[in-house]
Amino acid sequence: MSAEPILASLLPDTATLHDRDVEVGGVSVRDLAATFGTPLFVYDEATLRSRCREAASVFDDGVAFASKSFLCGAMARLAFEEGLCIDVATGGELDIVLRSGVPASRVILHGNNKSHDELERAIAVGVHRVVVDNFEEIERLRSLVGPDSPLDCLVRVTPGVEAHTHEYVRTGQEDTKFGFSVASGDARRALSNVREVPGLTLHGVHAHIGSQIFDIDGFRATMQILADFTRDDDFDELCLGGGLGVPYVAGESALSLTEWGDAIRDAARQAGLGANLRLLAEPGRAIVAQAGITLYRVGAVKPVAQRTYMAVDGGMSDNPRPVLYGSGYEAFDVAQPLAERPQRVRLVGKHCESGDVLIDEAWLPASTGVDSVIATPVTGAYGYSMASNYNRVPRPPVVFVASGTAREVLRRETFDDLARLEV
Ligand code: LLP
């Protein structure tokens, strides 16, 4: 890390840095903090739309947005409008997407433990695909699917590939709760069990090897394994899941969605897969991460012998990723985004534990202090979607900005919202 100003490449596409403000989507970020309060999630619609379009153009029809990375009605509609299907992993995600008005025929249901009710609803509304994960699920489907209640599916397989990423978000290795192992023969058995269920149409296989992956080799290796595994199956679809990494801090670099898609397509060609096969993926992070920034207000600055703690009005409840995965972030002062950042602080939240660290070593301008509004960029993925009410902290609102206008798509939670479940 250094005292350099924040890198514009970590910010949303439309961000412009001025001496005393930052604009995103043509809207002053300082005004956003004043209007909506802090903490606040701000998403640049242009970035979201451009990433969705990129995914839709580099993969075939059926490519999906992984909604677990960030879901609300506005986001589901946006991804749908830009040509993507929506991947949901639970009945709750399915419900939000259906409420948003996105047709069920553009929804793909995932999950390693889908309940009878989740499957029943998916079939009743007519989802595009269910991705089958285990033998019990096949039996559940046998009781639900029939000539009058048909279902299209993929089978999720485990290729046995170790992706280079944090072990909590690694899923392609043999030792995993997800999918059927190719090596053990379970995947082959699953295909034949699925084929025996009347009304269940099998289109192909799916593999997802992990998340926040920078290295293309794992995707290539997976493609080769899937090609070998499905060579005689005459499938019309193959889905390589999500997983494309994004830069969070200076010094990191990642492939674009286009480069990733081209590399996957190239690997499929080299593995001898036919051109009539629809090549699909379901990126989440690569679509939403860079589009989002979080605004906080500094409330306390506490120098101790070892360092200075700077406390903001959010924390691990709106961004648990640093605590969960040791993820790094950067911060900048929205009132002086072009300034050097010589002040080293530990950026912490307002929760009652020492683990509540947003940035272990954050660099900020010398004059940033109490009442400054600071922003952490690249918080669009797995921030709001993993937000909690720990310490009964209400979740922040989410604002979409575009063409000089801000619209609130999720309002701030209130204490009444928090009390709603009391019986
Ligand atoms: N498809 C499947 C089947 C998945 O399980 C996932 C993510 C995705 C697609 C989207 O992956 P992406 O393109 O976003 O990497 N909470 C963690 C990430 C968990 C990812 C879970 N599955 C984090 O904050 O890093």
Side-chain angles (χ1 to χ4, degrees):
M1 293 293 157
S2 72
E4 308 272 304
I6 190 72
L7 279 180
S9 61
L10 293 173
L11 299 179
D13 292 355
T14 66
T16 49
L17 308 182
H18 306 287
D19 276 343
R20 300 175 57 80
D21 202 356
V22 179
E23 271 181 8
V24 180
V27 178
S28 151
V29 166
R30 291 180 71 178
D31 286 353
L32 287 171
T35 307
F36 297 100
T38 53
L40 176 67
F41 282 96
V42 179
Y43 282 82
D44 177 31
E45 243 187 273
T47 307
L48 293 173
R49 288 190 187 277
S50 116
R51 300 296 182 279
C52 287
R53 252 176 250 153
E54 206 180 334
S57 74
V58 72
F59 292 99
D60 291 312
D61 186 43
V63 53
F65 164 58
S67 69
K68 69 201 79 184
S69 60
F70 168 55
L71 180 59
C72 62
M75 183 62 214
R77 281 190 297 274
L78 184 153
F80 166 68
E81 283 162 17
E82 298 299 344
L84 300 183
C85 284
I86 316 289
D87 141 17
V88 298
T90 64
E93 288 180 353
L94 173 62
D95 190 67
I96 293 283
V97 173
L98 294 178
R99 279 173 200 257
S100 79
V102 170
S105 60
R106 297 298 283 172
V107 177
I108 297 162
L109 177 65
H110 270 280
N112 73 302
N113 183 12
K114 304 178 193 76
S115 68
H116 178 278
D117 289 357
E118 286 172 327
L119 290 170
E120 190 173 46
R121 182 159 191 216
I123 294 163
V125 298
V127 297
H128 177 61
R129 300 278 181 270
V130 163
V131 183
V132 178
D133 182 272
N134 55 71
F135 288 111
E136 288 76 13
E137 185 181 337
I138 300 176
E139 293 318 305
R140 253 166 240 154
L141 288 173
R142 203 187 292 279
S143 70
L144 289 165
V145 176
D148 299 329
S149 48
L151 182 69
D152 296 282
C153 75
L154 298 176
V155 163
R156 178 164 180 169
V157 304
T158 310
V161 169
E162 296 240 344
H164 297 167
T165 188
H166 193 285
E167 68 163 304
Y168 288 4
V169 294
R170 214 185 282 154
T171 50
Q173 70 285 1
E174 284 295 320
D175 187 355
T176 176
K177 69 172 182 170
F178 296 105
F180 299 96
S181 154
V182 169
S184 75
D186 279 355
R188 184 54 60 196
R189 273 204 302 138
L191 295 185
S192 70
N193 288 11
V194 162
R195 285 188 174 110
E196 283 168 9
V197 180
L200 196 52
T201 304
L202 176 61
H203 289 270
V205 295
H206 168 287
H208 169 78
I209 58 171
S211 194
Q212 184 58 1
I213 300 167
F214 288 127
D215 185 354
I216 199 72
D217 292 349
F219 295 109
R220 284 186 189 284
T222 302
M223 183 56 81
Q224 185 63 52
I225 290 164
L226 297 188
D228 293 341
F229 177 61
T230 59
R231 204 165 297 284
D232 301 321
D233 284 298
D234 199 24
F235 286 141
D236 55 6
E237 257 173 41
L238 199 157
C239 182
L240 226 60
L244 176 61
V246 302
Y248 280 90
V249 296
E252 288 180 339
S253 67
L255 296 182
S256 68
L257 280 154
T258 304
E259 289 166 329
W260 184 56
D262 285 347
I264 286 176
R265 209 168 271 289
D266 188 53
R269 231 185 336 259
Q270 282 185 21
L273 290 174
N276 49 349
L277 192 71
R278 279 194 299 282
L279 273 186
L280 304 175
E282 44 203 23
R285 190 189 315 266
I287 291 191
V288 293
Q290 199 194 336
I293 66 173
T294 310
L295 307 184
Y296 301 102
R297 192 172 291 275
V298 177
V301 177
K302 188 175 291 178
V304 298
Q306 295 76 5
R307 70 188 81 254
T308 294
Y309 285 90
M310 185 177 277
V312 296
D313 48 2
M316 64 192 292
S317 57
D318 60 76
N319 187 359
R321 301 194 66 259
V323 195
L324 278 173
Y325 318 113
S327 308
Y329 286 88
E330 298 219 22
F332 65 96
D333 185 327
V334 303
Q336 38 182 340
L338 298 171
E340 302 262 295
R341 296 178 297 165
Q343 184 185 185
R344 182 169 64 98
V345 300
R346 178 167 286 176
L347 194 72
V348 296
K350 63 179 285 138
H351 295 278
C352 294
E353 63 175 78
S354 299
D356 177 27
V357 175
L358 285 168
I359 306 178
D360 191 47
E361 200 175 71
W363 295 89
L364 287 160
S367 62
T368 300
V370 171
D371 276 341
S372 297
V373 174
I374 61 173
T376 51
V378 207
T379 53
Y382 304 107
Y384 194 90
S385 67
M386 293 204 297
S388 74
N389 291 128
Y390 182 36
N391 292 136
R392 302 279 89 186
V393 170
R395 269 175 279 239
V398 177
V399 167
F400 278 18
V401 289
S403 312
T405 307
R407 63 179 171 122
E408 198 174 27
V409 298
L410 290 170
R411 65 164 171 79
R412 187 179 299 284
E413 269 180 334
T414 62
F415 291 156
D416 284 343
D417 290 326
L418 299 183
R420 204 179 42 207
L421 304 181
E422 304 277 346
V423 287

